[in-house]
């Protein structure tokens, strides 16, 4: 019989967390246990099957399959072991046995009074998780950017032997997937976690433990992805098309494991952010008073929740093909590469908007503050985001025009894709309308707004060419496509994220971002970026194929121009990194609201208290009523 | 954004927390539903494509349609047991105990099927392979069922043990968690039926 105690929590003895296991767990213990789990798994499999690195005569499985099984199991064991070692499973285990975490233990998990150590623990404070995401994203962008520099160096002149062709392929693939993952979390990770709960007047995220889980699960994927280098790389590019991915070497397993782990992290983070916004807004914050960044971030993660599992399925199917000889993508046993292409792009195109929308929304948050005008047509901005999100699930096959899959559907997919430029146009309208006749305060965040409008205009218009079946027939697989999606993802989404960082840097670090260094980095990045990718448009339009390590002499000038632009971007990123580190350590102390913004995050001091607000705020007006009386 | 403040402590009511948890679980169900959609899509796509007539090559045996349905029966019973126990509190602990046992049996039966797949063939070198796209797709449905069994058994075991202990922190929140668990039980039943329905098409 179920009996529920009505005894108040305070009447029961509370264990002292100083002596509990929770206090001893951190990133170090996670790493040790993760490695231990991985090593034990490896040796158990080796004991069972024999060494995977030698041809195993007389075994049930081929050597290749056994290598794949061993590597995948070892990687998942690492990930699981790390989560055990850092204490991620204590909460669920304690729930299972009916001994819930006490208030004192929860306070400890929130990092109360633990200083810098909390950044290396399973800390449930959303602000700590936000900083963890920020540092993680910067590291990933650094690694991905270094790979980009190597690619461009190889392409500086035709016939370059800077990188061997097979390594070039892997480099392109690893650059792609590293940057895609980094870009997916670049805005919603740091700002969605640190800033967004404060913006809506919440004390924390809806599920603090799951919030920490989403970061640490993602963290375990980073060494897994890096291990691809030591396992022969991923020669398929980031799209990992089947059956190439079925046939690729052991490094492909790192790719599969990374995506599967990342999909879990994304689902958990998406659920958490969505629930927080829907259920934890401050009193008085009706839907038409929700800051536009919050709306954009929520639509983005809500779109990711159904989108990423299809990629996960594609990866699991590839993994099964590689490990136990199923035939999802093997035509000999009834499989088809088209299945992969569909599953991949059903995720792949919404994913572009998962990346893009938070960046645009951040800039919409910035623009009214720096022109001291209300956001032009809040409703149009929402309609734009919602329209993009809705249409994004109906356009995936425009990536497959040339694959031969369902030619009769090319027309309908061309129409839906071109139609998506209507809600995208609304976003431009909102931004331009907000800037119209304003007197902008030209600080770094505002510069990003202007850069976005230019970059995304080019990215958007070139996208219309690619959505057109006859044009795509010529441009598909060329450098034109590479330039287009870099204008969209880097020119728009990364520019938005950099603007957001400059905007919220004072709230996250308590210091102002160095003006001079950030201006220098801005111009180096933006000029370099346009030189780089306008050069690439030239090469692509002239017919240079992408994902090829060498090219004909005819493309030499365009590639040299691109490489010069790339070095400028690289230099700008180094200056930006220096500005961030220097300002974080010894920048000018920031006032509580340096930009005079009207959203809630600027009403709390730095460091932001553990529960954000001493008393829950009650919202009585919209956040963009600059230059008019509150209503 | 104009604000004013009210004086009360930061402590959300169990009702609020419960609603929040229900929404969270429903969003996770959306993700799981998308996963299930993708594998159902794969099944019907490859079945209709029938590349090289290798969806189900000649002579390859399959599981019976009945076995596809038998394997999801525990999900249906768990759903019913939970609904009954929500109406009659005294039945909660036994209902969850029964559910846990049934789920373990169901998981064992699913594992038994995996260990006795009739469609695994051997090539000329004696190495096993999955003969036909039907076989490939079947294994992923079995894996999905197994995942649902593990998660659902974790929940029912937790509710059973917590019910046994009885000295739980907040009875209202505990009641909400029973309801939230019901959302998951409903979903795994629907997901199981969809899986069984799909795998009935050979």
């Amino acid at each position: 019989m179920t009996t529920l105690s009505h005894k108040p929590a305070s009447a029961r003895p509370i264990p002292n967390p100083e002596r509990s296991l929770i206090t001893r767990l951190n990133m170090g213990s996670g790493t040790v246990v993760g490695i231990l789990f991985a090593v034990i798994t490896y040796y158990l499999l080796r004991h069972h099957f024999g060494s995977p690195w030698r041809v195993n005569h007389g075994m049930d499985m081929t050597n290749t399959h056994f290598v794949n099984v061993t590597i995948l199991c070892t990687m998942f064991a690492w990930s699981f072991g790390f989560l055990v070692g850092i204490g991620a499973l204590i909460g669920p285990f304690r729930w299972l046995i009916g001994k819930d975490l006490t208030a004192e233990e929860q306070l400890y998990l929130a990092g109360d009074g633990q200083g810098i150590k909390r950044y290396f623990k399973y800390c449930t404070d959303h602000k700590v998780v936000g900083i963890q995401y920020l540092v993680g994203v910067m590291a990933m962008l650094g690694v991905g950017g270094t790979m980009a520099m190597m690619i461009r160096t190889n392409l500086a002149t035709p016939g370059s032997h800077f990188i061997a062709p097979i390594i070039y392929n892997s480099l392109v693939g690893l650059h792609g997937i590293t940057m895609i993952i980094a870009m997916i979390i670049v805005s919603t990770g740091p700002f969605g976690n640190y800033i967004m709960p404060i913006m809506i007047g919440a004390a924390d995220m809806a599920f603090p433990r799951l919030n920490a889980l989403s970061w640490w699960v993602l963290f375990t994927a980073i060494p897994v992805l890096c291990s691809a280098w030591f396992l022969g790389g991923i020669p398929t590019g980031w799209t990992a098309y089947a059956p190439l991915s079925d046939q690729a070497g052991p490094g492909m397993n790192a790719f599969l494991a990374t995506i599967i782990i990342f999909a879990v992290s994304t689902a958990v983070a998406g659920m958490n952010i969505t629930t927080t916004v829907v259920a934890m807004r401050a009193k008085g914050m009706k839907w038409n008073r929700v800051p536009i960044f919050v709306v954009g971030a929520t639509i983005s993660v809500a779109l990711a929740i159904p989108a990423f599992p299809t990629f996960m399925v594609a990866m699991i199917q590839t993994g099964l093909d590689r490990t136990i000889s199923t035939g999802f993508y093997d035509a000999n046993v009834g499989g088809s590469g088209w299945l992969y292409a569909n599953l991949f792009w059903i995720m792949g195109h919404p994913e572009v908007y998962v990346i893009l929308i938070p960046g645009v929304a951040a800039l919409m948050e910035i623009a009214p503050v720096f022109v001291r005008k209300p956001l032009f047509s809040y409703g149009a901005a929402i309609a734009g985001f919602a329209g993009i999100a809705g249409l994004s699930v109906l356009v995936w096959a425009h990536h497959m025009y040339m694959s031969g899959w369902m030619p009769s559907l090319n027309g309908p997919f061309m129409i839906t894709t071109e139609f998506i430029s209507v809600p995208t146009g609304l976003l431009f309208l909102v931004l331009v309308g907000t800037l119209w006749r304003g007197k902008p305060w030209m600080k770094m965040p505002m510069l990003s707004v202007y850069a976005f409008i230019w970059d995304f205009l080019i990215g958007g218009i070139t996208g219309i060419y690619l959505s057109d079946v006859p044009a795509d027939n010529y441009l598909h697989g060329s450098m034109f496509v590479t330039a287009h999606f870099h204008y969209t993802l880097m020119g728009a989404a990364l520019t938005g994220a950099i603007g957001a960082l400059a905007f919220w840097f004072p709230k996250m670090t308590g210091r102002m971002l160095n003006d001079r260094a950030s201006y220098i980095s801005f111009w180096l990045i933006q000029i370099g970026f346009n030189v780089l990718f306008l050069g690439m448009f030239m090469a692509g339009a002239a017919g240079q194929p992408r994902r090829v390590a060498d090219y004909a002499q005819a493309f030499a000038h365009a590639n040299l121009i691109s490489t010069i632009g790339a070095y400028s971007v690289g230099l700008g990123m180094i200056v930006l990194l220096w500005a961030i580190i220097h300002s974080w350590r010894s920048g000018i102390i920031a006032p509580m609201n340096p930009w005079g913004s009207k959203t809630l995050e600027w009403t709390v001091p730095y460091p932001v208290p553990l529960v954000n607000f001493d008393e829950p705020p009650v919202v009585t007006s919209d956040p963009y009523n600059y230059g008019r009386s509150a209503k | 954004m104009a604000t004013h403040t009210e004086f009360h402590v930061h402590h959300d009511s169990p009702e609020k927390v419960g609603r929040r948890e229900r929404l969270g679980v429903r969003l996770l169900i959306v993700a799981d539903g998308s996963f299930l959609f993708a594998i159902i899509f794969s099944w019907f796509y490859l079945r209709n494509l029938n590349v090289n007539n290798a969806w189900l090559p000649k002579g390859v045996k399959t599981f019976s349609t009945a076995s596809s349905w038998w394997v999801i029966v525990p999900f249906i019973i768990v759903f019913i047991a939970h609904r009954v126990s929500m109406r009659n509190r005294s039945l909660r602990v036994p209902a969850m105990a029964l559910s846990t046992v049934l789920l373990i049996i169901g998981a064992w039966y699913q594992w038994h099927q995996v260990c006795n797949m009739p469609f695994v063939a051997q090539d000329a070198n004696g190495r096993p392979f999955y003969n036909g796209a039907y076989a490939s797709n079947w294994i992923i449905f079995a894996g999905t069922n197994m995942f649902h069994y593990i998660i659902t058994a974790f929940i029912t075991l937790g509710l059973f043990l917590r019910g046994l202990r009885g000295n739980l922190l907040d009875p209202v929140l505990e009641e909400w968690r029973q309801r939230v668990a019901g959302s998951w039980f409903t979903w795994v039943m629907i997901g199981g039926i969809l899986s069984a329905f799909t795998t009935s098409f050979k």
Side-chain angles (χ1 to χ4, degrees):
Chain A
M1 190 181 113
T2 308
T3 53
L4 299 173
S5 166
H6 290 267
K7 196 160 53 169
S10 56
R12 266 177 259 118
I14 296 171
N16 180 7
E18 290 299 315
R19 289 184 298 170
S20 78
L21 178 67
I22 290 174
T23 60
R24 301 196 182 100
L25 302 177
N26 54 32
M27 207 171 134
S29 60
T31 306
V32 169
V33 178
I35 291 173
L36 200 66
F37 271 48
V39 169
I40 290 170
T41 305
Y42 175 81
Y43 278 100
L44 281 176
L45 288 168
R46 185 184 161 136
H47 177 73
H48 190 66
F49 293 113
S51 171
W53 308 111
R54 285 184 237 122
V55 176
N56 51 339
H57 302 285
M59 299 303 299
D60 280 340
M61 305 166 96
T62 64
N63 190 49
T64 311
H65 289 163
F66 176 49
V67 169
N68 293 336
V69 170
T70 308
I71 291 172
L72 276 172
C73 291
T74 304
M75 285 169 175
F76 288 123
W78 142 259
S79 182
F80 184 72
F82 182 91
L83 295 176
V84 170
I86 202 169
L89 304 184
I90 287 179
F93 179 72
R94 292 277 292 271
W95 176 85
L96 180 75
I97 60 173
K99 286 186 175 179
D100 290 322
L101 293 173
T102 63
E104 209 177 358
E105 284 170 330
Q106 291 190 34
L107 200 60
Y108 184 86
L109 279 180
D112 191 32
Q114 293 166 40
I116 200 163
K117 281 183 186 171
R118 63 200 161 136
Y119 293 102
F120 303 96
K121 291 189 166 202
Y122 192 78
C123 182
T124 57
D125 183 0
H126 70 94
K127 299 174 283 293
V128 173
V129 177
I131 296 293
Q132 287 168 333
Y133 265 109
L134 179 64
V135 174
V137 162
M138 281 165 51
M140 291 172 81
L141 289 174
V143 172
T146 306
M147 289 190 247
M149 291 299 123
M150 292 168 73
I151 292 166
R152 279 316 320 170
T153 304
N154 191 65
L155 294 176
T157 54
S160 164
H161 295 291
F162 180 69
I163 303 166
I166 186 68
I167 296 176
Y168 179 88
N169 284 352
S170 283
L171 202 61
V172 170
L174 279 165
H175 161 73
I177 191 61
T178 307
M179 287 308 212
I180 288 288
I181 291 176
M183 290 305 299
I184 287 170
I185 59 175
V186 72
S187 290
T188 46
F191 314 117
N193 278 291
Y194 196 117
I195 300 294
M196 197 206 64
I198 315 176
M199 280 182 112
I200 60 168
D204 201 336
M205 297 290 276
F207 306 105
R209 288 209 307 269
L210 288 182
N211 200 25
L213 183 73
S214 70
W215 159 249
W216 287 113
V217 166
L218 174 67
F219 176 82
T220 65
I222 294 171
V224 169
L225 183 59
C226 292
S227 70
W229 274 117
F230 308 102
L231 295 167
I234 47 169
T236 58
W238 91 272
T239 47
Y241 278 132
L244 280 178
S245 52
D246 271 10
Q247 298 155 357
M252 201 67 222
N253 299 308
F255 182 92
L256 307 183
T258 300
I259 298 301
I260 292 168
I261 295 170
F262 179 63
V264 173
S265 166
T266 308
V268 171
M271 174 275 276
N272 205 357
I273 289 176
T274 309
T275 306
T276 305
V277 174
V278 172
M280 295 182 70
R281 297 191 313 280
K283 201 171 173 184
M285 186 175 278
K286 295 177 283 189
W287 278 110
N288 61 353
R289 286 178 179 167
V290 177
I292 197 71
F293 173 70
V294 176
V295 176
T298 309
I299 288 176
S300 159
V301 295
L303 184 60
I305 291 171
F308 281 89
T310 60
F311 194 14
M312 193 182 193
V313 167
M315 290 294 105
I316 290 172
Q317 290 173 342
T318 309
L320 290 172
D321 279 5
R322 292 170 60 83
T323 52
I324 59 171
S325 299
T326 55
F328 288 102
Y329 308 132
D330 180 356
N332 288 324
V333 281
S336 167
W338 281 333
L339 172 63
Y340 179 89
N342 274 290
L343 291 175
F344 178 82
W345 286 115
I346 287 172
M347 176 286 303
H349 206 80
E351 168 258 351
V352 172
Y353 297 105
V354 169
I355 291 173
L356 185 71
I357 290 174
V360 184
L363 295 173
M364 285 183 180
E365 195 66 51
I366 290 166
V369 178
F370 287 83
V371 292
R372 314 309 293 173
K373 280 178 64 192
L375 183 71
F376 178 76
S377 188
Y378 181 88
I382 305 290
F385 289 145
I388 287 174
L391 281 170
S392 72
V393 296
L394 300 172
V395 300
W396 80 91
H398 71 231
H399 295 273
M400 296 159 62
Y401 289 154
M402 298 305 125
S403 72
W405 181 77
M406 299 287 280
S408 58
L409 287 180
N410 284 355
F413 275 105
M414 183 173 81
I415 291 167
T416 54
T417 307
E418 292 184 350
F419 194 62
I420 214 167
S421 54
V422 175
T424 309
L426 286 179
L427 304 185
F428 277 101
L429 183 72
V430 171
L431 272 175
V432 174
T434 306
L435 301 180
W436 184 252
R437 292 187 174 174
K439 290 179 181 170
W441 184 19
M442 293 302 280
K443 303 293 279 185
M444 176 68 176
M446 194 58 200
L447 288 173
S448 300
V449 175
Y450 285 103
F452 165 85
I453 291 173
W454 171 255
D455 293 343
F456 192 45
L457 191 64
I458 295 173
I461 288 173
T462 51
I464 296 173
Y465 287 88
L466 293 170
S467 70
D468 188 68
V469 180
D472 189 62
N473 196 7
Y474 175 72
L475 294 169
H476 180 83
S478 74
M479 281 295 202
F480 189 94
V481 179
T482 312
H484 155 71
F485 70 73
H486 277 87
Y487 259 99
T488 310
L489 300 184
M490 186 178 171
L494 186 61
T495 299
I498 291 173
L501 178 65
F503 182 59
W504 282 306
F505 192 82
K507 189 52 58 189
M508 295 173 81
T509 66
R511 293 176 187 272
M512 301 300 290
L513 188 63
N514 184 302
D515 267 346
R516 183 182 291 179
S518 58
Y519 292 152
I520 293 170
S521 76
F522 174 83
W523 288 111
L524 281 171
I525 291 170
Q526 284 303 323
I527 292 171
F529 172 80
N530 281 282
V531 169
L532 161 56
F533 291 108
L534 286 174
M536 205 177 277
F537 274 130
M538 284 163 56
Q544 185 187 346
R546 60 193 282 216
R547 299 183 181 130
V548 181
D550 202 359
Y551 52 85
Q553 187 65 38
F555 309 121
H557 289 303
N559 276 277
L560 185 62
I561 290 168
S562 283
T563 301
I564 292 168
Y567 288 154
S568 174
V569 172
L571 189 62
M573 289 295 180
I574 291 170
V575 175
L576 181 63
L577 182 65
W578 179 86
I580 291 168
I581 294 171
H582 179 262
S583 306
W584 206 329
R585 292 181 62 185
S586 52
I588 300 166
I589 301 289
M592 197 157 88
N593 188 1
W595 316 121
S597 174
K598 295 192 174 189
T599 40
L600 284 178
E601 75 273 25
W602 302 102
T603 63
V604 296
Y606 180 86
V608 182
L610 188 62
V611 288
N612 299 339
F613 300 92
D614 291 335
E615 297 93 26
V618 177
V619 176
T620 54
S621 71
D622 80 68
Y624 307 114
N625 57 353
Y626 299 101
R628 64 186 184 199
S629 56
K631 64 176 184 182
Chain B
M1 182 176 281
T3 64
H4 69 81
T5 52
E6 282 179 344
F7 286 93
H8 61 84
V9 289
H10 259 302
H11 183 71
D12 287 329
S13 68
E15 284 287 334
K16 268 189 175 177
V17 175
R19 281 199 199 97
R20 201 182 293 165
E21 291 184 353
R22 183 176 61 183
L23 176 61
V25 167
R26 286 177 180 177
L27 288 169
L28 285 180
I29 288 171
V30 170
D32 197 40
S34 173
F35 186 98
L36 189 68
F37 156 77
I39 63 173
I40 291 173
F41 173 81
S42 300
W43 180 282
F44 286 113
Y45 184 73
L46 290 181
R47 182 175 176 273
N48 291 336
L49 213 55
N50 196 13
V51 181
N52 293 328
N53 288 320
W55 164 255
L56 204 51
K58 243 182 178 177
V60 171
K61 291 177 187 167
T62 63
F63 280 110
S64 67
T65 303
S67 70
S68 299
W69 288 92
W70 274 118
V71 84
I72 59 117
V73 164
F75 291 135
I76 298 171
I77 297 177
V78 168
F79 168 77
I80 295 167
H82 179 263
R83 293 293 284 231
V84 170
S85 72
M86 287 301 285
R87 292 202 185 115
N88 186 346
R89 279 183 171 214
S90 64
L91 289 175
R92 278 193 186 169
V93 171
M96 288 302 109
L98 172 73
S99 298
T100 308
V101 171
L102 278 173
L103 288 164
I104 291 168
I105 293 170
W108 173 84
Y109 180 57
Q110 184 67 81
W111 180 249
H112 174 76
Q113 284 190 339
V114 169
C115 294
N116 295 284
M117 291 180 290
F119 37 68
V120 177
Q122 291 195 329
D123 66 12
N125 299 319
R127 290 180 296 225
F129 70 98
Y130 286 73
N131 200 0
Y134 163 85
S136 302
N137 278 280
W138 187 90
I139 190 77
I140 207 164
F141 274 96
T144 306
N145 274 343
M146 196 57 108
F147 171 76
H148 284 168
Y149 271 122
I150 292 167
I151 299 292
T152 313
F154 180 87
I155 295 168
T156 55
L157 182 63
L159 292 176
F160 166 66
L161 292 175
R162 293 170 74 82
L164 274 187
R165 282 181 66 89
N167 60 339
L168 303 169
L169 286 175
D170 193 313
V172 180
L173 189 55
E174 211 58 34
E175 187 65 24
W176 262 102
R177 285 184 178 158
Q178 291 277 353
R179 283 191 232 170
V180 172
S183 298
W184 177 258
F185 297 151
T186 308
W187 159 243
V188 289
M189 181 190 66
I190 293 169
I193 290 170
L194 288 172
S195 297
F197 178 75
T198 304
T199 51
S200 299
F201 288 88
K202 291 172 189 156

